[in-house]
Amino acid sequence: MAHVVPPASRIPVPDRLALSQRRYNHDRLLEALRVRGTATRADLCRLTGLSRATVAAAVSRMLADGMMQELPPPVDGTSRASGPGRPAATLAPVEPPGVVVGLDFGHSHLRAAAADLAGQVLAETHRELQVDNSPDDAIAAAATEFGWLLDRIGRSSSDVTGVVMGLPSPIDRDSGRVVTNNILPGWVSRAPARELQSLIGLPVLLDNDANLAALGEMTFGAAAGLRNLIYVKASTGIGTGLIFDGRVYRGSTGTAGELGHVQIQPDGAACRCGNRGCLETLVSVPHILATLQPMHRDPLTIADVVALVRAGDIGARRVVTDAGRTIGRSLADLCNVLNPSALILGGELSAAGTALTEGVREAIDLHAQPVSAAAVAVSTSTLDDRAEVLGAIALALQNNPAMRPPDAR
C-alpha cells in the first residue's frame, strides 16, 4: 500500500524554515515603512539591521507581489542619491483594501476603533461601561460598537480583515478563556472572543491589555521603530507587556508579564492573588490613594493625585516617586535578563510624569548592570488611554493574511 504524505509535511523542512525567515523579513520591512512612510533600500538596511543582499531580495519579491511600490523621483530633484548622479529609489507600502477593528475593555470602559490597512484610524468611540461583573452586557456592547464603527465609515463586515479584543486579565493561550478569578471575577472560564464572534460573524483574536498597549507604543507611540521594550501599566493593578524582536512575548500559557505579582515583602499586605507583599500591593493606584488620603479631607481620586503632583505638593510627589523606585527595582532585574532598549510607563499613574519616571530611572541606574541601565530609556506613554486600542489595531495588522506575500500565506 502506498504511503500518503500528509499535506503539512510535503514541504521539506529547510523550505519551511526559508518561508518562515522570508515572512519575518517581509514583516520587518513593512513595519519600517509604516513607521517612516517612505524609505530607500539603504534606509531599510539601517532601520531593520538586515543585510543589503537580504533587503534587495526581499524588496524585489515584494515589488513583484504588489506589496511595495517605487515612487517616482520628485520634480525638484531633492531625492537622495545612491551614487553619483543617480537618485535613490524611494519605496512605499501598497496597502490592500480592507479595514481592521480593535476593541479595548477596561474595568469601567470600552474603547473601539476601525483603521485601514495602513494603520490610519478611520473612526473611534469610547463609552463608560461596568465590565468586571457583566460579561454578557460588555460583549453585547462590543458588538454594538463594532456595528457603529462600520456604519460610521460606510463599510460592511465583508470589508473587515481582522478583529482584536483586549481584556485587563491573563488569558489562557490555548483555550482563549479568562483564567483567574481575582481580576475579572464575572469572566472566569468565559471565552470572550468566541462569544463576540458569534455575535458579529467574524473571527476575533483576544489578548491581554498590557500586551496590546506595548504593541501600540511600538507601532504608533513612544517606542516607534524599536523592537525590544517593556511596557508597564500602572493602574488598579500592575501589568506588563513584553516585546522581543518586534513581537509580543506571551509565554507558554499566555500569562507572561505578571510583574504586579512579583513578591517584594514576604510578610507584607495580602494581595488579591492570595500571596503577600506583591508589587501591586505597594504601588497600585488603590495603594497610592490609601497612603495619601489621611492628609486630605475630601476623598481622593488618581486625577487629584496627579493634580497635586503637578502643583508641587511635596507629599504627593514623594509617594509617587517612591512608587517609581519600587517599580524600578523590579524592572532593574528584568533589564538585566532581557536587555530592553525602552521602558514605557502607562496607565493612570503615568500621568504623574517625571515624579514617576525619575523614581524608576533612579532604581534602574542603582540596581541594573551598568551596560543594561545605559541601554534603556525610560519614558511615559505618548498614547495615554488609547495605547490598548491602537495596539489591538497593530495586532490585527500584524496577523492580517492580506499583508503577507503570496508564498507566505
Side-chain angles (χ1 to χ4, degrees):
M1 184 182 216
H3 175 64
V4 179
V5 180
S9 302
R10 288 177 183 164
I11 301 175
V13 171
D15 290 343
R16 291 205 302 272
L17 293 175
L19 287 178
S20 177
Q21 185 64 44
R22 187 177 298 175
R23 172 175 168 173
Y24 172 81
N25 294 340
H26 164 272
D27 286 350
R28 293 196 66 178
L29 292 171
L30 271 188
E31 179 187 308
L33 279 179
R34 289 197 192 100
V35 171
R36 285 283 297 267
T38 61
T40 64
R41 288 169 174 80
D43 291 332
L44 292 176
C45 290
R46 178 173 50 81
L47 292 168
T48 64
L50 299 173
S51 70
R52 290 177 62 185
T54 298
V55 168
V59 166
S60 294
R61 285 194 302 269
M62 294 166 72
L63 287 171
D65 292 336
M67 307 296 291
M68 189 181 287
Q69 61 182 325
E70 282 190 346
L71 302 180
V75 294
D76 60 3
T78 57
S79 177
R80 287 165 288 177
S82 59
R86 180 186 175 191
T90 301
L91 302 164
V94 175
E95 308 295 354
V99 295
V100 294
V101 174
L103 301 153
D104 164 50
F105 285 107
H107 291 284
S108 58
H109 78 266
L110 168 62
R111 186 183 292 273
D116 62 23
L117 298 192
Q120 181 68 40
V121 174
L122 305 173
E124 187 170 341
T125 180
H126 175 275
R127 64 188 285 186
E128 298 300 316
L129 184 69
Q130 291 305 312
V131 171
D132 290 12
N133 293 296
S134 305
D136 291 330
D137 293 343
I139 293 168
T144 298
E145 297 304 309
F146 175 85
W148 182 90
L149 288 171
L150 295 186
D151 289 343
R152 180 70 181 270
I153 63 176
R155 301 293 187 95
S156 68
S157 59
S158 62
D159 297 314
V160 178
T161 61
V163 182
V164 172
M165 177 169 63
L167 274 179
S169 174
I171 308 297
D172 182 77
R173 189 170 187 172
D174 294 328
S175 68
R177 295 184 183 276
V178 177
V179 294
T180 180
N181 62 4
N182 49 46
I183 298 176
L184 293 176
W187 294 69
V188 177
S189 298
R190 300 288 289 257
R194 288 200 289 272
E195 294 178 37
L196 180 58
Q197 178 177 331
S198 70
L199 295 179
I200 66 174
L202 292 170
V204 178
L205 183 62
L206 178 66
D207 208 340
N208 171 263
D209 63 343
N211 290 341
L212 295 180
L215 193 55
E217 293 291 345
M218 184 192 76
T219 308
F220 302 107
L226 302 180
R227 298 187 63 79
N228 296 283
L229 65 115
I230 298 172
Y231 174 91
V232 179
K233 184 174 183 177
S235 192
T236 304
I238 306 297
T240 308
L242 308 173
I243 302 280
F244 297 158
D245 203 18
R247 297 281 172 171
V248 175
Y249 177 76
R250 298 177 179 86
S252 60
T253 62
T255 60
E258 288 296 308
L259 185 70
H261 298 289
V262 171
Q263 190 179 65
I264 307 298
Q265 295 179 344
D267 58 348
C271 180
R272 58 181 171 170
C273 73
N275 209 337
R276 282 191 174 274
C278 294
L279 177 64
E280 178 180 297
T281 67
L282 300 172
V283 300
S284 65
V285 166
H287 176 80
I288 299 291
L289 296 178
T291 302
L292 288 170
Q293 187 60 65
M295 301 176 231
H296 299 271
R297 182 181 61 185
D298 296 328
L300 286 177
T301 66
I302 189 59
D304 296 328
V305 173
V306 170
L308 287 168
V309 169
R310 291 175 177 173
D313 184 273
I314 295 174
R317 186 175 184 88
R318 174 61 185 269
V319 169
V320 171
T321 300
D322 284 349
R325 292 190 184 102
T326 304
I327 294 171
R329 178 64 188 89
S330 294
L331 289 175
D333 293 337
L334 281 183
C335 288
N336 287 339
V337 174
L338 304 177
N339 191 209
S341 54
L343 296 174
I344 311 298
L345 304 175
E348 295 171 293
L349 192 57
S350 69
T354 57
L356 182 67
T357 57
E358 286 174 1
V360 173
R361 179 81 260 177
E362 179 184 322
I364 288 172
D365 289 342
L366 181 62
H367 297 290
Q369 289 294 304
V371 66
S372 297
V376 67
V378 179
S379 66
T380 55
S381 165
T382 60
L383 301 178
D384 300 323
D385 57 2
R386 299 177 70 226
E388 293 86 353
V389 75
L390 293 179
I393 294 294
L395 184 58
L397 294 173
Q398 198 176 75
N399 286 275
N400 201 315
M403 309 300 288
R404 306 288 182 214
D407 58 1
R409 290 175 190 167

